[in-house]
Amino acid sequence: MLSEEVPFRANHIRYIKSFPQYEDTLLLALNAPTPEQAHQAAKKLTAFLQNEHSYFSDIYFFTGEPFLEKNGLLFKSLDELGRITDYLAAAQPLIARIADSPTLYTFASVLTEATEELRNGRKLDLESVFSGVSATVDARLAGQSRALSWQALLGGEAQKDTYQELIIAKPKLDYSQIFAAEEPISIIRTAAENMGLASDTFEKLRITGEVALAHDELNSAMHGAQDAGILALVMVAAVLLLAFRSAGAILTVIISLLLGLLLTAAFATIAVGHLNLISIAFAVLYIGLGVDYAIHFLLRLEELRSPDQPFSEALSQTGGDMGQSLLACAITTAIGFYAFMPTTYRGVAELGLISGTGMLISFLITITLIPALQKVFPTKIRKSPDSTQSINHILDLPRHSRKMVYGFTIAAVIASIVALPKIKFDYNLLNLNNPQAESVQTFQELLGDADDSPWHINILVNDFQEIDPIVKRVSTLPEVKSVVSLLDMVPQQQEEKSLLIEEMAMILGPISFSPAAFLAADHYTVAEQRTALDRLRTALEHFVNEQPAHAAANSARMLHTSLTNLLLHLEKLSATETDSTGRAQMLRALNKDLLSLLPDSIQRLQLALTAQPFTEEALPASIKELWHGNDGVYRIAVYPRENINDNDALRRFVRAVQQIAPSATGIPVISLEAGEAVVDAFIHAFSLALLGVIVALWIMLRSVTSTLLVLIPLLLSALFTGAGTVLLNLPFNFANIIALPLLLGIGIDSSLHMVHRSRSGIVYESLLHTSTARAIFYSALTTLVGFGSLVFSTHQGTSSMGLLLTIGLLITIVCVLIILPVLLQSADKQQENSG
């Protein structure tokens, strides 16, 4: 919706042409309790999706690439490889014995021997082993399965609660459907459920990425609009019924609105040819202002009618009285909307063209169709003026409080001017979506991980020789956590690393697991396994008592407690069982938790130990194409140090990188630049609109005083609304900023109606009792309840738009029905005194 000539859009278009695989993607986040389980599940899901050619054009599982699985150790640092070598040397005897007999009995026996070695002073790093086994035993006692990660143990790492693998899927979108990604997402969810990867299991899959976010946003916006629409229909009908007490008038309003919407949509089809997410708001604007015109006409007709007067005469008189003011409103508001057309924000420019013409259509319908409809559905004459007394009483409140109104207005103006510099624009597109949506929650979680943030900046260079200088300069920025490029796909110090890898291969030796070996677990009786566990518990107890200050003492104490609880649990089972079935099942399950992942971990390690030094030429196309585009362009990915879900952090990150690479692109750049482009477009549009409105008012009213009286409430409501967003911590965003044109239109129309009616000679006391004041009140109230219902939408962008409209309309009512009448009274008295 922004011009393709805007620099940041041109940069993004160039990026997508070079790397089309990054456009319109799904990001699949697969979590599991261990890295082995996460990797296995991700490979299985990747293999399935790669066969679904009807729904996906590409699937990328980067860490599952065969080339990286073989050469992954070369990408680690020398220090990391040295640590892994030490751990492998310590663990090799344990692994070798378990490979011969992968049973709980053997595992406990070997760990008992290792603990005894610790007691005798040998340096063994068993802290992570003790902690991991303790957590696995505790989980099994709680009725849950927590497999022991041998990959983490061999890497010398403490096992985390969860591990994650990311898969990028490029779905084939069907734009003939409302939800273009519905079928690919459904395919993924069905496959995940069949693989046991539901979102509520230990191994779970969550779907996010730009396509999923757009899918969930459209879903929440549609459902929010449906719910709000039902509520709005009920509330608007109630307000119209309160205003007219006539079914004929309500039918007239509804029919005229529907016809106006159809004609405006037809104009949009002819003049523009399409609607976008911004210009579709013309319906909101038309309903809000179309109701305004209809209510003014019908309430004036009701005011002029008398029992002894022919209906056609009352219609004619109403048309004569209202025609000039409605025409002035239509022209002025149309000029205000047309002023949006010269902006670079194409969505706003098209909205201005459609809505401006819609106001002229609304005027024509009001003075032609409404009188005709009134002959079919005439508004009944109210039997008593009592029905209007309550509203008149409300409107008459500021009558004797001129000084108070002036005092509060001046104080509010001063406070608002102070608050204006604090007005903010929220550039974060995530904040428009439903915060409870899976895609949003998952994406925000990923943003918190600076090492793999899905929001990063991409720098494009034409020459391979340009990569290194730019990487070095960008890496020095304090806002940058890491920089990745094609250079990083070829590790440094490969010869030195190869020597360590060869040493690791010699240490590990030719270990293998046979399926038959795992059946040996049942060869040990329950009593033998309990005895082995008890020996381990005793060894741990002695170790902790003898060396309480040892680095592994705390983890050994935890494992001792876990084993004590396990043995007590087995003792309870033996007291309630006639046989050993329950105890056997418990020990068999624990055996699986502790040892089931060991064969796969050793197999993957053995593959990684075959790594050999390589050059860029050896990189497979599936990896190279991620960094070297089809047109020869190279990509450099820059990751933020801070969580750029925060707007200030986003700005710092983008501006810092742009100092070095002005043509950088990516979601962070697009969000910031698009937000600023939108703000600039609206400032430009409203400046032109204000100038056009001033000129139009002066030409039509032929009075500087009257023009100022129309503008003052408009400017005050804009000032107070801006301050209200600061007070309520409601920043402007890509959605709620669309509400501003509607507030502009209602502000112009309402002020102009009041000033035009006062020019007919009605004094202040009577002005607030006229149909004009009631029409302003009811039309604003109709729009308020109609669009204020959007506040309850689950879509945060729609909700914020409803809240901003509610604030702005309430402020507009105050400015037009309280402040403006006081200004009109003061102007009349000044004119009398001067006369």
Side-chain angles (χ1 to χ4, degrees):
M1 291 178 287
L2 286 162
S3 171
E4 293 184 359
E5 298 178 0
V6 176
F8 81 87
R9 279 220 61 201
N11 294 334
H12 181 66
I13 291 171
R14 180 194 176 202
Y15 167 68
I16 291 303
K17 287 181 178 179
S18 300
F19 299 94
Q21 63 267 39
Y22 290 115
E23 184 182 28
D24 295 334
T25 59
L26 290 167
L27 187 59
L28 313 183
L30 203 155
N31 288 74
T34 67
E36 296 96 326
Q37 289 170 314
H39 191 80
Q40 289 171 4
K43 287 196 73 171
K44 187 176 180 181
L45 181 61
T46 298
F48 173 83
L49 297 179
Q50 284 175 338
N51 290 324
E52 294 291 333
H53 303 294
S54 299
Y55 299 99
F56 301 95
S57 56
D58 284 302
I59 304 292
Y60 301 95
F61 176 33
F62 193 65
T63 58
E65 284 285 337
F67 181 85
L68 294 178
E69 288 190 308
K70 177 182 177 181
N71 297 287
L73 288 176
L74 290 172
F75 289 88
K76 294 186 179 295
S77 67
L78 287 171
D79 289 339
E80 287 178 302
L81 289 176
R83 187 175 68 250
I84 294 172
T85 303
D86 293 339
Y87 277 103
L88 187 59
Q92 197 279 337
L94 172 67
I95 296 171
R97 287 186 58 186
I98 294 175
D100 291 334
S101 176
T103 64
L104 178 61
Y105 179 89
T106 304
F107 180 81
S109 300
V110 173
L111 199 54
T112 300
E113 294 173 10
T115 305
E116 293 295 343
E117 293 288 335
L118 278 180
R119 290 180 62 195
N120 294 329
R122 183 179 176 183
K123 291 185 178 181
L124 294 174
D125 192 347
L126 296 178
E127 185 176 358
S128 57
V129 177
F130 289 158
S131 298
V133 175
S134 175
T136 298
V137 172
D138 290 343
R140 176 50 58 190
L141 286 172
Q144 300 174 349
S145 174
R146 181 188 187 272
L148 181 65
S149 172
W150 288 88
Q151 180 178 324
L153 291 181
L154 294 175
E157 304 171 357
Q159 186 172 338
K160 297 185 292 185
D161 291 332
T162 184
Y163 292 83
Q164 187 174 81
E165 293 282 6
L166 297 176
I167 303 170
I168 298 176
K170 189 172 177 60
K172 294 181 179 179
L173 304 177
D174 182 5
Y175 288 107
S176 65
Q177 304 294 321
I178 295 178
F179 295 97
E182 186 169 20
E183 288 193 25
I185 291 176
S186 178
I187 290 291
I188 294 173
R189 293 206 184 279
T190 301
E193 289 178 6
N194 293 337
M195 296 177 189
L197 303 176
S199 59
D200 58 348
T201 59
F202 288 106
E203 297 178 31
K204 61 182 180 182
L205 176 74
R206 294 172 296 166
I207 304 176
T208 186
E210 59 180 305
V211 170
L213 289 167
H215 177 86
D216 285 344
E217 182 169 17
L218 180 59
N219 188 41
S220 66
M222 287 184 63
H223 283 90
Q226 289 173 4
D227 297 340
I230 295 172
L231 179 61
L233 182 62
V234 173
M235 297 296 290
V236 168
V239 173
L240 291 176
L241 185 62
L242 180 65
F244 296 114
R245 310 289 177 89
S246 168
I250 296 175
L251 281 173
T252 299
V253 172
I254 293 174
I255 293 173
S256 63
L257 278 178
L258 291 176
L259 180 60
L261 276 173
L262 288 173
L263 291 176
T264 305
F267 169 78
T269 303
I270 296 172
V272 181
H274 62 265
L275 293 174
N276 55 54
L277 290 174
I278 302 297
S279 63
I280 199 172
F282 86 88
V284 175
L285 301 179
Y286 186 90
I287 292 172
L289 295 172
V291 165
D292 183 10
Y293 290 8
I295 290 177
H296 273 279
F297 188 94
L298 292 173
L299 284 181
R300 181 59 173 156
L301 173 62
E302 179 188 84
E303 185 179 47
L304 291 175
R305 285 191 65 186
S306 60
D308 57 348
Q309 182 187 28
F311 185 63
S312 58
E313 184 179 328
L315 273 176
S316 178
Q317 186 177 354
T318 302
D321 287 353
M322 294 303 299
Q324 185 177 354
S325 64
L326 289 177
L327 178 61
C329 288
I331 292 175
T332 308
T333 309
I335 289 174
F337 286 144
Y338 285 149
F340 285 42
M341 292 171 59
T343 66
T344 56
Y345 193 8
R346 191 164 58 202
V348 173
E350 293 172 0
L351 174 66
L353 172 62
I354 297 168
S355 297
T357 305
M359 293 304 97
L360 299 178
I361 291 172
S362 181
F363 167 74
L364 293 174
I365 288 177
T366 302
I367 62 171
T368 57
L369 180 64
I370 288 183
L373 288 173
Q374 276 294 285
K375 290 195 173 184
V376 181
F377 309 110
T379 302
K380 296 181 180 179
I381 300 176
R382 301 195 190 189
K383 296 179 180 180
S384 169
D386 292 343
S387 58
T388 62
Q389 287 181 359
S390 57
I391 184 61
N392 288 342
H393 177 71
I394 295 173
L395 297 175
D396 208 27
L397 290 177
R399 176 177 177 181
H400 304 293
S401 308
R402 281 180 55 200
K403 292 183 179 179
M404 184 181 295
V405 171
Y406 277 126
F408 275 114
T409 302
I410 293 172
V413 168
I414 295 173
S416 298
I417 291 174
V418 173
L420 279 184
K422 299 179 181 179
I423 292 177
K424 295 181 179 180
F425 187 92
D426 187 357
Y427 305 100
N428 194 332
L429 296 171
L430 282 181
N431 292 339
L432 301 182
N433 213 326
N434 179 6
Q436 303 304 318
E438 176 189 85
S439 61
V440 175
Q441 292 181 341
T442 305
F443 204 87
Q444 288 177 332
E445 179 185 304
L446 293 173
L447 286 177
D449 183 4
D451 292 328
D452 203 17
S453 174
W455 276 359
H456 55 268
I457 289 178
N458 293 296
I459 300 173
L460 302 184
V461 296
N462 295 317
D463 191 339
F464 181 80
Q465 301 302 321
E466 297 179 58
I467 299 176
D468 190 52
I470 292 179
V471 168
K472 289 179 178 178
R473 290 181 63 194
V474 174
S475 298
T476 62
L477 295 173
E479 296 83 3
V480 172
K481 176 70 179 291
S482 62
V483 183
V484 183
S485 69
L486 185 60
L487 298 177
D488 297 287
M489 298 300 104
V490 182
Q492 303 296 315
Q493 299 177 304
Q494 292 191 53
E495 294 297 335
E496 295 91 332
K497 294 175 182 178
S498 294
L499 294 176
L500 283 173
I501 293 173
E502 290 175 6
E503 181 181 348
M504 291 165 61
M506 292 177 62
I507 291 172
L508 182 62
I511 293 177
S512 62
F513 293 82
S514 66
F518 280 90
L519 299 177
D522 293 329
H523 293 173
Y524 292 96
T525 65
V526 170
E528 288 172 328
Q529 294 179 79
R530 285 179 62 185
T531 300
L533 291 170
D534 190 49
R535 283 200 298 265
L536 175 58
R537 183 192 65 80
T538 303
L540 290 167
E541 183 178 2
H542 291 159
F543 168 66
V544 170
N545 291 336
E546 293 170 2
Q547 302 185 45
H550 194 282
N554 286 334
S555 58
R557 191 176 293 110
M558 292 169 54
L559 179 55
H560 175 268
T561 302
S562 300
L563 291 174
T564 301
N565 293 334
L566 173 62
L567 292 170
L568 287 173
H569 180 72
L570 293 173
E571 190 67 32
K572 289 179 182 179
L573 288 177
S574 66
T576 59
E577 290 181 332
T578 56
D579 56 21
S580 61
T581 303
R583 287 169 289 162
Q585 289 178 347
M586 165 65 77
L587 294 173
R588 193 178 298 114
L590 183 59
N591 185 93
K592 181 180 179 183
D593 291 341
L594 291 171
L595 302 175
S596 62
L597 298 181
L598 179 57
D600 180 66
S601 298
I602 296 301
Q603 185 178 3
R604 289 180 62 195
L605 177 59
Q606 289 172 332
L607 174 63
L609 294 178
T610 63
Q612 296 293 328
F614 63 89
T615 62
E616 182 191 336
E617 288 71 23
L619 288 173
S622 58
I623 294 177
K624 190 177 294 186
E625 68 182 7
L626 300 176
W627 304 98
H628 190 191
N630 49 28
D631 56 354
V633 173
Y634 294 89
R635 180 174 79 95
I636 302 172
V638 185
Y639 291 87
R641 184 172 299 277
E642 301 176 272
N643 184 347
I644 57 174
N645 198 32
D646 175 75
N647 282 307
D648 293 333
L650 173 71
R651 177 182 289 275
R652 287 192 295 270
F653 176 54
V654 171
R655 294 306 182 216
V657 175
Q658 285 181 328
Q659 291 294 319
I660 297 174
S663 61
T665 187
I667 295 297
V669 176
I670 293 171
S671 296
L672 182 62
E673 296 291 359
E676 296 198 342
V678 169
V679 172
D680 291 343
F682 270 91
I683 291 175
H684 184 208
F686 275 101
S687 299
L688 290 176
L690 182 61
L691 180 62
V693 167
I694 291 173
V695 173
L697 287 173
W698 185 81
I699 291 174
M700 289 184 290
L701 298 177
R702 299 290 182 178
S703 168
V704 174
T705 301
S706 297
T707 300
L708 288 174
L709 287 171
V710 173
L711 290 175
I712 288 174
L714 180 65
L715 297 176
L716 287 177
S717 62
L719 179 64
F720 296 158
T721 300
T725 63
V726 175
L727 181 64
L728 296 175
N729 193 26
L730 177 66
F732 288 105
N733 55 49
F734 291 99
N736 66 22
I737 202 168
I738 303 170
L740 296 182
L742 177 57
L743 295 175
L744 171 69
I746 291 177
I748 293 173
D749 287 358
S750 301
S751 298
L752 188 52
H753 278 300
M754 286 291 284
V755 172
H756 187 272
R757 191 66 186 271
S758 70
R759 284 161 60 95
S760 64
I762 295 179
V763 296
Y764 169 76
E765 289 79 1
S766 300
L767 179 61
L768 292 176
H769 295 168
T770 63
S771 63
T772 299
R774 292 199 305 276
I776 291 172
F777 177 81
Y778 282 123
S779 62
L781 187 60
T782 302
T783 307
L784 179 65
V785 300
F787 299 109
S789 61
L790 296 174
V791 172
F792 302 104
S793 172
T794 56
H795 184 262
Q796 295 304 291
T798 305
S799 178
S800 68
M801 180 167 64
L803 182 56
L804 183 60
L805 274 170
T806 300
I807 296 169
L809 286 168
L810 288 174
I811 290 174
T812 299
I813 291 174
V814 171
C815 290
V816 174
L817 295 182
I818 295 179
I819 298 175
L820 179 56
V822 172
L823 293 174
L824 289 170
Q825 185 183 26
S826 299
D828 289 342
K829 288 188 176 182
Q830 185 176 1
Q831 188 174 2
E832 291 174 3
N833 293 335
S834 62

